[in-house]
Amino acid sequence: MRHKVTVMTTQIIMTTRDIDRSLDRISLEILEKNHGIDELAIVGIHTGGVFLADRIHRKISAHEHGDLPLGSLDITLYRDDWSLISQNPIVRTTDIGFQVENRRVVLVDDVIFTGRTIRAAMDAIMDYGRPLSIQLAVLVDRGGRELPIGPDYVGQCVNAAVDERVDVLLDEKDGRDEVVLHGAGA
């Protein structure tokens, strides 16, 4: 009797240069769509989205002069599945030090998959007020949506299977910038 051996495959789908170019493009697209930074705010979703939001904020600030609010958002307790993930969830800091009212808020995350994280983030933002709009910027869109939520700005689209994992490694927390696709090979 033969047993099938499953070997995990790893593929680098974005390098440091790819990530930087994507963030350059996303930053310029945000500026173009919003006609500058008036009434704009950037908010990163913990954890990876916070680092990417900071990078986007710096890139936009280098192009524009003025006050561009930057915030971070923890959505742990807003998730519809938080009790399934852990009985003791790790709650991080939310830092929204500006009025959300009458702002176009750009949420930033590293990967979008089912859409549930973004739905939770929208709920959390609405607790701070009613923005003019909420836009979404992600580094990787891996498909597989369960909710009708899509990004406005995307670094790269990847068709990842349900059993594959997309890891965004960032210098701020991992010591290097890389996006890796992990999957089961033959």
Side-chain angles (χ1 to χ4, degrees):
M1 180 173 171
R2 296 186 105 179
H3 295 285
K4 184 176 180 178
V5 177
T6 302
V7 178
M8 293 302 290
T9 61
T10 299
Q11 177 184 0
I12 296 171
I13 56 176
M14 291 182 86
T15 64
T16 299
R17 291 185 74 195
D18 297 328
I19 291 170
D20 194 51
R21 282 188 200 114
S22 292
L23 294 177
D24 283 342
R25 181 175 36 78
I26 288 169
S27 299
L28 292 173
E29 287 175 357
I30 290 169
L31 281 172
E32 182 179 24
K33 181 175 182 173
N34 292 287
H35 307 286
I37 62 171
D38 292 340
E39 301 169 341
L40 191 65
I42 308 293
V43 176
I45 300 171
H46 277 288
T47 303
V50 171
F51 302 123
L52 294 171
D54 183 59
R55 292 184 193 188
I56 289 170
H57 180 267
R58 282 188 273 129
K59 288 176 183 292
I60 290 174
S61 295
H63 281 276
E64 301 288 314
H65 300 288
D67 181 35
L68 177 60
L70 174 65
S72 65
L73 188 64
D74 178 67
I75 53 90
T76 303
L77 298 179
Y78 286 87
R79 291 186 60 99
D80 59 6
D81 61 353
W82 73 266
S83 63
L84 300 175
I85 295 171
S86 171
Q87 293 301 317
N88 299 310
I90 298 170
V91 179
R92 294 176 178 88
T93 303
T94 290
D95 180 17
I96 306 289
F98 54 88
Q99 290 287 81
V100 170
E101 294 283 333
N102 300 315
R103 288 213 184 261
R104 292 181 310 277
V105 174
V106 179
L107 290 174
V108 180
D109 206 3
D110 50 2
V111 179
I112 185 169
F113 182 23
T114 63
R116 293 184 182 283
T117 295
I118 305 309
R119 185 211 48 85
M122 290 189 297
D123 287 347
I125 285 291
M126 296 303 264
D127 279 352
Y128 285 87
R130 188 168 189 259
L132 292 172
S133 68
I134 298 175
Q135 301 166 29
L136 176 60
V138 297
L139 185 60
V140 179
D141 181 349
R142 61 161 289 154
R145 222 69 84 239
E146 294 175 3
L147 299 175
I149 294 172
D152 299 281
Y153 316 99
V154 179
Q156 183 170 332
C157 293
V158 176
N159 289 322
V162 173
D163 62 345
E164 293 178 312
R165 190 177 80 238
V166 175
D167 287 335
V168 175
L169 306 172
L170 298 172
D171 190 48
E172 295 89 339
K173 64 180 178 66
D174 304 301
R176 70 183 193 275
D177 284 344
E178 207 170 65
V179 178
V180 182
L181 176 65
H182 301 279

